[in-house]
Amino acid sequence: MDESTFRKEVADWMAARLSGRFACLKHRGGPGDEEAWPALRKEWEQEMAAGGWVGLGWPQAHGGRDLPLALQLAFHEEYVRAGGPGRIGHIGETLLAPTLIALGTPELQRRFLPGIREGREYWAQGYSEPGAGSDLAAITTRCWQDEDGNWRLQGQKVWTSLAHESDWIFVLARSTPGSAGREGLSFLLVPLDQPGIEIHPIRQMTGEAEFNSVFFDGAVTDADCIVGKPGEGWKVAMALLGFERGVSTLGQQMHFSHELQLLIDAARANGAARDPVIRQRIADAWIGLRGLRDNGLRMLEEDTGSTTVRPEALIYKYAWSNWHRALGELAMDVIGVAGDVRAGEDAGSDALRRLQQVFFFSRADTIYAGTNEIQLNIIAERGLGMPRG
Amino acid sequence: MDESTFRKEVADWMAARLSGRFACLKHRGGPGDEEAWPALRKEWEQEMAAGGWVGLGWPQAHGGRDLPLALQLAFHEEYVRAGGPGRIGHIGETLLAPTLIALGTPELQRRFLPGIREGREYWAQGYSEPGAGSDLAAITTRCWQDEDGNWRLQGQKVWTSLAHESDWIFVLARSTPGSAGREGLSFLLVPLDQPGIEIHPIRQMTGEAEFNSVFFDGAVTDADCIVGKPGEGWKVAMALLGFERGVSTLGQQMHFSHELQLLIDAARANGAARDPVIRQRIADAWIGLRGLRDNGLRMLEEDTGSTTVRPEALIYKYAWSNWHRALGELAMDVIGVAGDVRAGEDAGSDALRRLQQVFFFSRADTIYAGTNEIQLNIIAERGLGMPRG
Amino acid sequence: MSSLALNDEQRALRETVADFLAGHGNARKEADSDAGLWRSIAELGWAAVQVPEEFGGLGLGAVELALLMEEMGRSLARTPFFATVVLAQGALLHAAGEAARQRCLPALAEGTRSATLILGPGLDARAGSLTLHARRDGEGWRLEGESAQVLDGSSAELAYVAARVEGGDGVALFEVPADAAGLQRTALEVWDLTRPQAHWRFAGVSLDAAARLDVPGSAAAGLARAQALAMLQLAAEQVGGAAQCLALTTAYTAERVQFGRAVASFQAVKHRCAEMMVRIETARSVVRGVAARVAAASLDDAALAAEAAAARVLATEAYRYCAQEAIQLHGGVGFTWEYDPQMHFKRAQWASQWLGTPRLLREALAAQLLDAA
Amino acid sequence: MSSLALNDEQRALRETVADFLAGHGNARKEADSDAGLWRSIAELGWAAVQVPEEFGGLGLGAVELALLMEEMGRSLARTPFFATVVLAQGALLHAAGEAARQRCLPALAEGTRSATLILGPGLDARAGSLTLHARRDGEGWRLEGESAQVLDGSSAELAYVAARVEGGDGVALFEVPADAAGLQRTALEVWDLTRPQAHWRFAGVSLDAAARLDVPGSAAAGLARAQALAMLQLAAEQVGGAAQCLALTTAYTAERVQFGRAVASFQAVKHRCAEMMVRIETARSVVRGVAARVAAASLDDAALAAEAAAARVLATEAYRYCAQEAIQLHGGVGFTWEYDPQMHFKRAQWASQWLGTPRLLREALAAQLLDAA
């Protein structure tokens, strides 16, 4: 299909559907705003599924459309351009589903992929623990099999986004008693709505809570709800993380671009745009965004299939998270003293609220999914071959 | 004595003496410019000695004037304000002499202090080695005693400023065969003009060479030319370094202040002073200099006699060296493309030459006498009690 | 050369304040505990520290006040101290006439009343930025206009208000009771809960003649001096906050284990903490130095403005950096509500926007350095 | 979406250039070796890379030229390549008329002649910054003025010279032989020995009518476009230099032992090198992206100016940072003459001042982003 025809198709569909009762979702539900309209956003997921916009890159055999990269990219760009809301189904669609397709049994694929593709079942991620943040291999959540083969879990996971809105969670847990590090872990799929699980919100600096602690106290799941063999959980977990840097990074950049435009509008409105130092910093933000964009394109395109280190992929998380954090600081310097006051929920405060969210919530960007410090270690060791420790 | 009277005395003396054949020394001979007029600067040292300006803080018993801190400070400020040249005798006067006064025998004091005080004998410092830069305890230069008790030396020292202009060198060398680290070192005083010593200039990035390598090949010195006992050299060497942060730091700041003024004059002359971003950076340079100044005053004054960690002393080297390096960058951004061209020795190029020296030579500031990295380790470990390694 | 060394009394004061605030911090408590803390502070005499003895004060100076502010910053205390002592007293001391000082200062020194100061947005004292206008009204005055963000605006009992006098008569300083007729106060929902604010609307507030406190013609210069001194004290508070960020971080990383080692043993973490210390101690040295020179009365107005700006820029950058790094080095918990780094982060952000941003302060310094004839 | 991927021919070109320059680097050799290197480069056809086939070139584009420039930057090669190919050819390609291109380009593509370009200081193409003036002189022209710093000014055989035409006729582009009567060239002693410069004084240089190369009215826009493309290529060279700084540093620190460990094993050193890599790869991505879009002809003049500015700012900051850190992490030897980091440091400084400083480039971008109606 021709790209511009496809773009128009997406744009038309978005214009027609992201209206009426869905209109309030425009530009909502991104990081820092995930608590916005969760029930309605699930309905939106089903609307999208019905429109054929979920699983664009999945193989057709699994119900996907197997679209080429350029069209997937075009979809994400048009989606964000139209103000499409944060995707409450993204953990299932972009992380778990590709993992199941790559490493799951046909039974697991048949059981779980349709619920994801149809926007009916939502997933949470159970990796981090209070004692295992940067050092993921230190996890202590245990799992074992009952006589009937069903899996049981005991332990605590933290920083699980949207657990309270999800139906399932995938969990990395220690199945070999006495094992340590990356050995002896298993990757389980666990239903959240059961007596053995409690979900407690973690209140963050904004006062809101889009992360949770999930407590497992003898929680149970079926014997076959495991991806890979028992003890192979680390490999599966890492494969899943590998899908994190996908086409959606360029969708993320459209969000960033939108935020930068809000900042520019604010600066023009309040006169900060005349300040020579603010001007330098806005130019730098734009330059940085070009860097993310071209780095992202290079990541998607160059040397695919090559097994050598991909420098542009190694640096990407560090680059975007620090860019975003700096954008938040710039936004607050543009806003000035008025930024002391929390922007309201009224429509007139939309831009201000969004920019404040960027400022506060981007503090998490340089911490989750590998802190700055971990990223630099990885870049030095894998990218430059420098010694460990 | 009243401080302002004293200041006037210094200023008058400088105005009278830093003229005629000495006039060409004004503002010359600082770091990056140490090759300027060495012979004449030695005559200047003798002129100063005759004027009673050497050993201001030494005890009177050792030929000093035992002036209070405030007056020593006033002297250094007036000296620099008048354009007093870089002190070719400063290693002897401010490092070795206090060490001899504190830890040397009466014989050593009688033998060496007069030559320093009278501007007749010049000293170089022999600490660093090719394999022992940041890690000073790794030195391998050996020393041993002949049957007659005289000391012999074998090895190589590097980064010795002004060795080719000096008469003596103090050397930290390993006297206990097989020892390692801080143990088994001795602190020797060695005449430079002898067959067992060769001095080779180290050409630096500016093309000039104010550092040297000093090669010891069976070099000899008298049996009693040792400070402390054999094996106690580390303690003596560290005591000497402790004198590095003395009153003269505030004299250094006067140099910095002069450099900043040259930069401001250049910016006003070429229009860079109208550039809003340059203005911010010049203001920052001024602010940083206030930081050095008040930190230096606090270092000299507060809690003297206390044995607790002095945070302001711990941070000082890191703070001034990075400030100075940034000043050099700012200077070149002020000068613009004209900075590509080496400033000549003519009087009209004085300011430009000085600013270019700051830019290039300040690259060494963050490396010698403890690199940035070593400074931060020390601050974290001694200042904040964080764990080693 | 004025001495930067603290004397024994000053060291003792610092200890007392630190001990007291460590036991009485209220940043995480409900607002109804605030009045008790302020009462205790007043009883300890700290509200009187910079007020001359003739007005019922202790007659100490900028150095002692800065020590107090540094400890306030460390503890994130939520009290009317900054607004009442630093801002309101400062305006009275430097911009009010003798009779007005005599009348107004004792109650503020005793801490029996809390007060605030209204200048232009972000406490900008320049005449052109003032948003309130005063018009003669018989013997008295009538105030109109609004101030979008008044510090402690819901709790202060009195406000000292700079207004432009209609008819080209310059700037005047008024005392306005918070319950004056025609004054509408609306509490604002702010990010930094330790620094409450309210919107004030002056819909024709009538004041009698005695409410004007300044000697006509002198208010602008007096307010500029008060503003510079407030900048110095805010810098002291920022240094305290930054130092606490570092203390929290070294303590947390010493306990937290990752990859089998204390996080504090990683060189990158150590270097970051060392960098925090460099910035904190540099800012502290300048705050201490400027306070000593203020106490020694050795600064003219231009030098005071420049030196206070230097202190503010260093303290602002130090606090922002330390709060950022405290969050970063606490890892996941750093941006949770239960840990303190986020509170300092919000305070650091607040403090970066009031009493002159680094950008504006640098430009003002550049004008002094570069534009002189 | 233009592809950033290199094709097989481009990858092969990069390898060839890198191999050749690794064996023929001349930065540490005497200047009399330079002519040989330039001859070899010409024989390999690299001077012809961006010249259309109709003018005797290879008809390749910005992507291939950027690959060459990146390798030139890595090796610090001292050749007329930048001045002749990037600057002089660029001006001809974009600001000269068809006949002039036909006449001048083949010799430059063959590399039989070396050339340079004269615009305003630092290669500023804006009409207001030009320092040379052209006056009609019978059928021909007379050039007056001076250019304080001409790249390769002592060795170039030809100069392409932008001058303001007296009488309000705008900007014109002239070809001037370096041995023209009335032209005085004075070699300058420069810090970066790989980028020689000379002062040129035009004391009434007479040219015949054919020496004017532009189609009147079109030179200013053409030179602006040539300048933007030169910025892109200079950015590519900077990326190469920065990458070499990092390579030198990781190699040196892997060998150097302090405190009983390889310096490269210290986390602070690793993080600094990682930060260098982040900056290098970001700049490289943008250089690659802009070059691809230039090759695909998908940028209008405004977009080209903006994108080239982005590449230049990223590459300039990356190179300065990497050169600084290379010196720092080499320790004492880093600022000695015998080690390469100081050479990169000087080149990085040179490159930060020509073809627009980061400060000016950001302001130009801000004007596009913020000042549009």
Side-chain angles (χ1 to χ4, degrees):
Chain A
M1 193 188 313
D2 168 55
E3 184 179 319
S4 61
T5 312
F6 179 76
R7 280 185 186 269
K8 183 163 185 322
E9 186 190 324
V10 179
D12 289 349
W13 188 89
M14 290 291 290
R17 305 305 170 96
L18 192 57
S19 61
R21 67 197 183 101
F22 290 127
C24 62
L25 294 184
K26 269 195 190 175
H27 293 298
R28 297 302 301 267
D33 192 36
E34 294 204 346
E35 291 189 274
W37 311 99
L40 188 63
R41 275 160 64 210
K42 288 185 181 176
E43 291 181 47
W44 171 253
E45 291 284 333
Q46 285 162 20
E47 185 83 10
M48 288 192 50
W53 304 115
V54 177
L56 294 183
W58 302 7
Q60 294 183 347
H62 294 295
R65 293 173 62 181
D66 207 9
L67 291 185
L69 207 57
L71 294 192
Q72 294 179 50
L73 185 55
F75 170 76
H76 284 285
E77 291 191 352
E78 296 302 326
Y79 182 81
V80 177
R81 196 191 312 276
R87 295 288 308 280
I88 213 164
H90 76 100
I91 295 179
E93 186 193 359
T94 67
L95 297 180
L96 183 66
T99 307
L100 287 177
I101 291 168
L103 301 170
T105 60
E107 292 72 27
L108 286 175
Q109 292 166 351
R110 274 195 299 273
R111 179 163 171 189
F112 290 110
L113 292 178
I116 294 171
R117 203 185 44 68
E118 292 160 21
R120 286 184 289 104
E121 283 182 352
Y122 300 97
W123 285 83
Q125 174 169 357
Y127 279 14
S128 292
E129 298 183 2
S134 295
D135 181 13
L136 195 56
I139 63 176
T140 59
T141 293
R142 292 180 299 117
C143 64
W144 65 93
Q145 286 181 287
D146 284 343
E147 312 85 73
D148 57 4
N150 287 343
W151 289 96
R152 293 277 180 177
L153 292 97
Q154 190 74 29
Q156 181 191 354
K157 294 291 178 181
V158 289
W159 315 124
T160 50
S161 313
L162 293 171
H164 55 304
E165 297 294 344
S166 298
D167 306 292
W168 289 82
I169 185 169
F170 49 86
V171 179
L172 191 59
R174 199 162 288 289
S175 52
T176 307
S179 65
R182 303 170 179 192
E183 308 297 321
L185 299 169
S186 292
F187 189 101
L188 301 181
L189 311 176
V190 184
L192 278 163
D193 184 14
Q194 58 167 303
I197 291 184
E198 280 192 30
I199 299 172
H200 293 174
I202 300 173
R203 198 175 179 202
Q204 66 213 28
M205 65 190 300
T206 53
E208 282 138 27
E210 70 193 45
F211 296 120
N212 299 278
S213 288
V214 180
F215 294 88
F216 300 87
D217 185 10
V220 64
T221 194
D222 291 350
D224 57 354
C225 278
I226 179 170
V227 186
K229 296 210 181 71
E232 292 183 357
W234 182 264
K235 193 186 73 182
V236 179
M238 291 302 111
L240 182 139
L241 289 181
F243 293 113
E244 216 165 18
R245 290 193 304 265
V247 183
S248 60
T249 56
L250 291 167
Q252 181 198 42
Q253 287 176 23
M254 293 294 294
H255 280 292
F256 290 170
S257 182
H258 179 65
E259 290 166 358
L260 176 56
Q261 192 57 52
L262 292 177
L263 186 157
I264 287 172
D265 294 343
R268 290 174 58 141
N270 77 359
R274 288 191 300 273
D275 181 286
V277 180
I278 293 286
R279 292 168 73 84
Q280 293 274 311
R281 292 172 66 192
I282 289 175
D284 254 338
W286 187 86
I287 292 166
L289 194 54
R290 296 312 300 176
L292 296 179
R293 159 113 188 163
D294 282 332
N295 201 76
L297 289 172
R298 185 174 160 209
M299 191 157 74
L300 288 174
E301 290 201 59
E302 191 183 335
D303 296 331
T304 31
S306 147
T307 56
T308 57
V309 172
R310 300 283 303 273
E312 70 281 6
L314 272 177
I315 69 169
Y316 194 71
K317 163 74 196 339
Y318 183 79
W320 77 252
S321 60
N322 287 281
W323 179 87
H324 201 219
R325 197 171 76 170
L327 188 77
E329 290 162 14
L330 174 55
M332 291 299 267
D333 281 344
V334 162
I335 299 168
V337 286
D340 290 355
V341 183
R342 287 185 81 120
E345 282 281 327
D346 54 300
S349 305
D350 256 1
L352 190 56
R353 191 181 61 244
R354 178 74 172 265
L355 292 172
Q356 291 183 341
Q357 279 167 353
V358 173
F359 178 63
F360 289 105
F361 202 78
S362 65
R363 297 293 130 182
D365 290 345
T366 56
I367 294 173
Y368 77 81
T371 63
N372 271 352
E373 293 70 28
I374 298 295
Q375 297 296 335
L376 292 175
N377 284 347
I378 293 172
I379 293 167
E381 291 165 14
R382 291 198 213 147
L384 298 170
M386 299 180 83
R388 296 184 73 90
Chain B
M1 190 187 314
D2 170 54
E3 184 177 321
S4 61
T5 312
F6 179 77
R7 279 186 187 270
K8 184 163 185 320
E9 186 190 325
V10 179
D12 288 348
W13 188 89
M14 290 292 289
R17 306 304 171 98
L18 193 57
S19 62
R21 66 197 185 104
F22 291 127
C24 62
L25 294 184
K26 270 196 190 177
H27 294 297
R28 296 302 301 266
D33 192 36
E34 293 203 347
E35 290 189 274
W37 311 99
L40 189 62
R41 274 161 64 211
K42 287 185 182 175
E43 293 182 45
W44 171 252
E45 290 285 334
Q46 286 162 22
E47 185 83 11
M48 286 190 54
W53 302 116
V54 177
L56 294 184
W58 301 7
Q60 292 181 350
H62 294 294
R65 293 173 62 182
D66 206 9
L67 291 184
L69 206 58
L71 294 191
Q72 293 180 52
L73 185 57
F75 170 77
H76 282 287
E77 290 191 352
E78 296 302 327
Y79 182 82
V80 177
R81 196 192 310 277
R87 295 288 309 279
I88 213 164
H90 76 100
I91 294 179
E93 185 194 359
T94 66
L95 296 181
L96 183 66
T99 306
L100 287 178
I101 290 168
L103 300 171
T105 60
E107 291 72 28
L108 287 175
Q109 291 166 352
R110 274 195 299 273
R111 177 161 173 192
F112 290 111
L113 292 177
I116 294 172
R117 205 185 42 70
E118 292 159 21
R120 286 185 288 104
E121 284 181 350
Y122 300 96
W123 286 82
Q125 173 169 359
Y127 278 15
S128 291
E129 299 184 3
S134 294
D135 182 12
L136 195 56
I139 63 176
T140 60
T141 292
R142 291 180 300 118
C143 63
W144 64 93
Q145 286 180 288
D146 283 343
E147 313 85 71
D148 56 5
N150 287 343
W151 289 96
R152 294 276 179 179
L153 293 98
Q154 189 75 30
Q156 182 191 353
K157 294 290 178 182
V158 290
W159 315 123
T160 50
S161 313
L162 294 171
H164 54 304
E165 298 293 346
S166 298
D167 307 290
W168 289 81
I169 185 169
F170 49 86
V171 178
L172 191 59
R174 199 163 289 288
S175 52
T176 307
S179 65
R182 303 169 180 192
E183 307 298 321
L185 299 169
S186 292
F187 188 101
L188 301 181
L189 310 177
V190 185
L192 278 162
D193 185 12
Q194 58 167 304
I197 291 184
E198 281 193 28
I199 298 172
H200 292 175
I202 300 174
R203 196 173 179 203
Q204 65 214 28
M205 63 191 300
T206 52
E208 283 138 29
E210 69 193 47
F211 296 119
N212 298 278
S213 289
V214 180
F215 294 87
F216 300 87
D217 185 10
V220 65
T221 195
D222 292 351
D224 56 355
C225 279
I226 178 170
V227 186
K229 297 209 180 71
E232 291 183 355
W234 183 263
K235 194 186 73 182
V236 179
M238 291 303 111
L240 182 140
L241 289 182
F243 294 113
E244 213 164 19
R245 289 193 305 266
V247 184
S248 60
T249 55
L250 291 167
Q252 181 197 43
Q253 287 176 23
M254 293 295 294
H255 281 292
F256 290 170
S257 182
H258 178 67
E259 291 166 357
L260 176 57
Q261 191 56 51
L262 293 176
L263 186 157
I264 286 172
D265 294 343
R268 289 174 59 141
N270 77 358
R274 289 191 300 275
D275 182 287
V277 179
I278 293 286
R279 291 169 72 84
Q280 294 273 311
R281 291 172 66 192
I282 288 176
D284 255 338
W286 187 87
I287 292 167
L289 194 54
R290 296 311 301 176
L292 295 180
R293 158 112 190 164
D294 283 332
N295 200 76
L297 290 172
R298 186 175 158 207
M299 191 158 74
L300 288 174
E301 291 204 59
E302 191 184 334
D303 297 330
T304 31
S306 147
T307 56
T308 57
V309 171
R310 301 282 303 273
E312 70 281 6
L314 273 177
I315 68 169
Y316 194 71
K317 161 76 196 338
Y318 182 79
W320 78 251
S321 59
N322 287 281
W323 179 88
H324 201 218
R325 197 171 77 171
L327 189 77
E329 291 163 14
L330 174 55
M332 292 299 266
D333 281 344
V334 162
I335 299 168
V337 287
D340 289 356
V341 183
R342 288 185 81 121
E345 282 281 326
D346 54 299
S349 305
D350 256 359
L352 189 56
R353 192 182 58 245
R354 177 75 173 263
L355 292 172
Q356 290 184 342
Q357 278 168 352
V358 173
F359 177 64
F360 288 105
F361 202 78
S362 64
R363 297 292 131 184
D365 290 344
T366 56
I367 294 174
Y368 76 82
T371 62
N372 271 352
E373 293 69 30
I374 298 295
Q375 297 296 335
L376 292 175
N377 284 347
I378 292 172
I379 293 168
E381 290 165 14
R382 291 197 214 147
L384 297 170
M386 299 179 83
R388 297 182 74 89
Chain C
M1 188 173 95
S2 40
S3 170
L4 272 71
L6 298 181
N7 62 33
D8 291 344
E9 290 75 20
Q10 289 165 339
R11 271 196 287 267
L13 175 66
R14 181 175 61 185
E15 299 294 310
T16 310
V17 176
D19 288 350
F20 176 81
L21 290 174
H24 294 79
N26 65 337
R28 295 191 162 285
K29 294 186 187 151
E30 293 302 309
D32 53 16
S33 68
D34 296 359
L37 178 59
W38 173 235
R39 223 169 14 248
S40 302
I41 286 174
E43 283 160 13
L44 288 159
W46 299 339
V49 73
Q50 71 170 339
V51 176
E53 292 174 79
E54 55 183 308
F55 305 129
L58 298 176
L60 299 170
V63 175
E64 289 79 6
L65 187 54
L67 293 175
L68 270 158
M69 283 299 289
E70 185 173 334
E71 297 307 323
M72 298 269 175
R74 195 188 307 274
S75 70
L76 286 171
R78 188 176 56 231
T79 80
F81 191 87
F82 178 63
T84 303
V85 176
V86 174
L87 298 178
Q89 284 182 3
L92 284 168
L93 284 166
H94 297 282
E98 177 67 20
R101 288 207 294 265
Q102 195 76 56
R103 178 163 58 81
C104 303
L105 278 169
L108 295 187
E110 267 180 37
T112 45
R113 309 198 72 174
S114 69
T116 192
L117 175 66
I118 297 182
L119 303 171
L123 289 170
D124 186 341
R126 290 172 299 180
S129 79
L130 302 181
T131 59
L132 298 179
H133 295 260
R135 177 155 55 79
R136 283 181 195 283
D137 183 19
E139 291 298 291
W141 297 87
R142 200 172 161 83
L143 258 61
E144 299 273 356
E146 41 193 302
S147 180
Q149 292 167 249
V150 178
L151 287 185
D152 289 348
S154 294
S155 62
E157 298 162 71
L158 291 170
Y160 296 91
V161 174
R164 275 196 281 184
V165 178
E166 286 186 9
D169 205 13
V171 174
L173 181 68
F174 296 94
E175 182 180 65
V176 181
D179 57 2
L183 180 56
Q184 293 154 13
R185 307 194 289 172
T186 312
L188 298 169
E189 194 185 350
V190 288
W191 289 102
D192 177 3
L193 298 176
T194 68
R195 205 113 279 177
Q197 302 177 32
H199 178 278
W200 282 28
R201 194 165 120 74
F202 292 73
V205 173
S206 294
L207 302 170
D208 61 27
R212 178 163 180 177
L213 308 180
D214 59 302
V215 178
S218 71
L223 287 171
R225 192 162 176 88
Q227 185 192 32
L229 291 166
M231 282 163 53
L232 170 65
Q233 296 303 334
L234 179 55
E237 188 184 65
Q238 290 172 299
V239 167
Q244 178 65 3
C245 288
L246 176 54
L248 290 170
T249 303
T250 53
Y252 181 81
T253 56
E255 295 298 320
R256 172 91 176 157
V257 173
Q258 293 276 278
F259 304 103
R261 310 162 45 173
V263 169
S265 72
F266 287 97
Q267 195 188 27
V269 174
K270 289 165 62 178
H271 280 198
R272 215 84 64 77
C273 289
E275 182 69 43
M276 290 162 78
M277 181 167 167
V278 170
R279 299 188 190 203
I280 292 164
E281 296 301 335
T282 302
R284 179 178 276 145
S285 293
V286 175
V287 167
R288 188 81 53 87
V290 181
R293 290 187 283 279
V294 166
S298 66
L299 299 173
D300 63 20
D301 282 358
L304 172 63
E307 298 228 346
R312 267 284 286 161
V313 171
L314 290 168
T316 300
E317 304 291 15
Y319 199 11
R320 284 216 279 207
Y321 180 77
C322 292
Q324 164 179 302
E325 293 305 317
I327 290 178
Q328 180 71 27
L329 294 176
H330 274 69
V333 303
F335 58 95
T336 62
W337 189 265
E338 279 66 30
Y339 283 74
D340 280 359
Q342 54 94 7
M343 302 180 69
H344 285 284
F345 182 75
K346 291 169 183 166
R347 172 70 76 84
Q349 171 60 26
W350 170 82
S352 74
Q353 301 295 328
W354 288 70
L355 285 168
T357 63
R359 186 166 50 77
L360 293 174
L361 296 170
R362 288 191 189 102
E363 173 51 36
L365 276 172
Q368 279 199 25
L369 293 167
L370 297 167
D371 301 341
Chain D
M1 187 172 92
S2 41
S3 171
L4 272 72
L6 299 180
N7 61 33
D8 291 343
E9 289 76 21
Q10 289 164 338
R11 271 197 287 268
L13 175 64
R14 182 175 60 186
E15 299 293 309
T16 310
V17 176
D19 288 351
F20 175 81
L21 290 174
H24 294 79
N26 64 337
R28 296 193 161 283
K29 295 187 188 151
E30 293 302 307
D32 54 16
S33 68
D34 297 359
L37 178 58
W38 173 236
R39 220 166 19 245
S40 302
I41 285 173
E43 283 162 11
L44 288 159
W46 298 340
V49 72
Q50 71 170 341
V51 176
E53 292 172 79
E54 56 184 307
F55 304 129
L58 297 177
L60 300 169
V63 174
E64 290 79 5
L65 187 53
L67 293 176
L68 270 158
M69 283 298 290
E70 185 172 333
E71 297 307 323
M72 298 269 175
R74 194 189 309 273
S75 71
L76 287 170
R78 187 176 56 231
T79 79
F81 190 87
F82 178 63
T84 303
V85 176
V86 174
L87 297 178
Q89 284 183 5
L92 285 168
L93 284 166
H94 297 282
E98 178 67 20
R101 288 206 295 265
Q102 195 77 54
R103 177 163 59 81
C104 302
L105 277 168
L108 296 187
E110 267 180 38
T112 45
R113 308 199 72 175
S114 69
T116 190
L117 176 65
I118 296 182
L119 302 170
L123 288 170
D124 186 342
R126 290 172 301 180
S129 79
L130 302 180
T131 58
L132 298 179
H133 295 260
R135 178 154 54 80
R136 280 180 198 282
D137 182 19
E139 292 297 291
W141 297 89
R142 197 171 163 83
L143 258 59
E144 299 274 357
E146 42 195 301
S147 180
Q149 293 166 251
V150 178
L151 287 184
D152 290 348
S154 294
S155 62
E157 299 162 69
L158 291 171
Y160 296 92
V161 174
R164 274 195 283 185
V165 179
E166 287 186 8
D169 205 14
V171 173
L173 181 69
F174 295 95
E175 182 179 66
V176 180
D179 56 3
L183 180 56
Q184 294 154 13
R185 306 193 291 171
T186 313
L188 298 169
E189 193 185 351
V190 288
W191 289 102
D192 178 3
L193 299 176
T194 67
R195 204 111 281 176
Q197 302 178 32
H199 178 279
W200 281 29
R201 193 164 123 72
F202 292 74
V205 173
S206 293
L207 302 170
D208 61 26
R212 177 164 181 177
L213 309 179
D214 59 302
V215 177
S218 72
L223 287 171
R225 192 164 176 87
Q227 185 192 33
L229 291 166
M231 283 163 55
L232 170 65
Q233 296 302 336
L234 179 55
E237 189 185 62
Q238 291 172 298
V239 167
Q244 179 66 3
C245 288
L246 176 55
L248 291 170
T249 303
T250 52
Y252 181 80
T253 56
E255 295 299 320
R256 172 88 176 159
V257 172
Q258 292 277 278
F259 304 103
R261 308 162 45 172
V263 169
S265 73
F266 287 97
Q267 195 189 27
V269 174
K270 290 165 64 177
H271 280 197
R272 215 83 64 78
C273 290
E275 183 70 42
M276 291 162 78
M277 180 166 169
V278 170
R279 298 188 191 205
I280 292 163
E281 295 301 335
T282 301
R284 180 177 275 147
S285 293
V286 174
V287 167
R288 189 79 55 86
V290 181
R293 289 187 283 279
V294 167
S298 66
L299 299 174
D300 63 21
D301 282 358
L304 172 63
E307 299 229 344
R312 266 283 288 161
V313 171
L314 290 168
T316 300
E317 303 292 15
Y319 199 10
R320 284 215 279 207
Y321 179 78
C322 291
Q324 163 179 303
E325 293 305 317
I327 290 179
Q328 180 70 27
L329 295 175
H330 274 69
V333 303
F335 58 94
T336 61
W337 189 265
E338 278 66 30
Y339 282 74
D340 281 358
Q342 54 95 5
M343 303 181 67
H344 284 283
F345 183 75
K346 292 168 182 166
R347 173 69 77 83
Q349 171 60 27
W350 170 82
S352 74
Q353 301 295 328
W354 287 70
L355 285 168
T357 63
R359 185 166 52 77
L360 293 174
L361 297 170
R362 288 191 188 102
E363 173 52 36
L365 275 173
Q368 279 199 27
L369 292 167
L370 297 168
D371 302 340

